[in-house]
Amino acid sequence: MTHPLIDLQAADTLADQLRHRRDHLPERDVVAAARGALTDWERRRDALRLRLAELDAAIERAEADAHQIDVHKARLEKQMKTVIAPREAEALQHEMATLDERRGALDDAELEALEEQSEVDDQIQAMTVEEQPLRDALDAAEVAAVAAEHQIADELTGIASRLDGLRAAVDASLLDRYDRIRKQQMVAAAELQGHRCSGCHLDLAPGETDEVKASAAADGGVADCPQCNRLLVVR
Ligand SMILES: [Zn+2]
């Protein structure tokens, strides 16, 4: 029969391990990775949408500018019909040529923007098919992580109710010593196995072993490990 202190330590260790597992759940890493992938996708889509808006604005601007040039040119053409002086006609022709040049450059820029607009549109369309799988993966990862957390929480609840009984079986002053050591290190109670403390895994000198055994015999089977100060149960 094991000492109640060792049973208590075993239950506490199990709870420690469960809490550690809960705090380092691989399922949470999967959630983080899935969320990262979705965020990355959204960032890329938003950048493309922004580019699309810029192109829309540029096209609109080019069309407005082109319209103004057309209006200006129509006015010059009208003026041309009333001009008699050759120098004046030459000046008007030069002005109209400049307008044509600007109009041409605007058309080229608009065409370029239209081409890019259709490319960016295609890119956004192509990306759209990736969205649902990314969202599904994130949802599934969340569900798995929550399920894993619930399972651990259930196990911890089970241990917590067992701990009450286990603690009640340990002598009050011994329990106090155990709790104090537990604040410093997770394993507070160990067994003497031959000459070795199962807490620090160090061998005791033969003299120390004898002292531990004598001390334990006088104190309900429990002594202090001279190496690590843990409670050492001697059977
Ligand atoms: Zn020890």
Side-chain angles (χ1 to χ4, degrees), residues 190 196-202 204 225-230 232:
R196 178 167 289 190
C197 162
S198 70
C200 60
H201 305 291
L202 294 172
L204 274 60
C225 171
Q227 316 270 11
C228 68
N229 251 336
R230 289 183 172 90
L232 205 45

Side-chain angles (χ1 to χ4, degrees), residues 48 52 55 115-128:
L48 288 173
L52 212 52
L55 290 167
E115 273 168 17
E116 192 184 340
Q117 192 186 44
S118 117
E119 278 167 26
V120 173
D121 244 339
D122 288 348
Q123 278 174 282
I124 292 177
Q125 284 305 315
M127 276 189 81
T128 306

Side-chain angles (χ1 to χ4, degrees), residues 10-11 14 21 35-36 48 50 59 68 74 91-92 99 127 153 169 176 179 184 187 204 208 214:
L14 192 57
R21 215 170 82 201
R35 186 170 290 126
L48 288 173
L50 185 69
I59 290 163
Q68 269 191 329
L92 276 175
L99 285 179
M127 276 189 81
D176 193 52
D179 284 340
Q184 317 293 326
V187 177
L204 274 60
E208 286 176 328

Side-chain angles (χ1 to χ4, degrees), residues 6 15 22 29-30 49 52 69 72 93 103 109 114 121 131 152 156 158 166 172 180 191 193 202 219 221:
I6 295 302
R22 181 195 60 197
D29 295 340
V30 177
R49 281 181 174 173
L52 212 52
I69 288 173
H72 190 178
Q93 257 160 0
R103 181 68 156 85
L114 282 165
D121 244 339
E131 182 173 11
I152 291 175
L156 279 170
L166 290 168
R180 254 184 291 130
E191 278 180 296
Q193 293 167 340
L202 294 172
D219 194 11

Side-chain angles (χ1 to χ4, degrees), residues 107-233:
D107 286 346
D108 289 347
E110 187 182 349
L111 199 66
E112 219 172 284
L114 282 165
E115 273 168 17
E116 192 184 340
Q117 192 186 44
S118 117
E119 278 167 26
V120 173
D121 244 339
D122 288 348
Q123 278 174 282
I124 292 177
Q125 284 305 315
M127 276 189 81
T128 306
V129 296
E130 298 167 22
E131 182 173 11
Q132 203 50 51
L134 285 170
R135 293 197 184 282
D136 291 346
L138 177 57
D139 289 346
E142 284 277 12
V143 168
V146 168
E149 278 160 1
H150 278 170
Q151 201 203 324
I152 291 175
D154 286 349
E155 287 177 50
L156 279 170
T157 306
I159 292 172
S161 62
R162 258 176 55 214
L163 274 174
D164 290 341
L166 290 168
R167 289 175 66 83
V170 178
D171 171 76
S173 72
L174 186 58
L175 190 61
D176 193 52
R177 280 159 71 197
Y178 172 82
D179 284 340
R180 254 184 291 130
I181 299 170
R182 273 278 290 171
K183 281 184 186 128
Q184 317 293 326
Q185 43 203 359
M186 291 177 138
V187 177
E191 278 180 296
L192 181 68
Q193 293 167 340
H195 292 284
R196 178 167 289 190
C197 162
S198 70
C200 60
H201 305 291
L202 294 172
D203 282 330
L204 274 60
E208 286 176 328
T209 308
D210 291 342
E211 272 175 45
V212 161
K213 282 182 175 168
S215 166
D219 194 11
V222 181
D224 298 319
C225 171
Q227 316 270 11
C228 68
N229 251 336
R230 289 183 172 90
L231 295 170
L232 205 45
V233 173

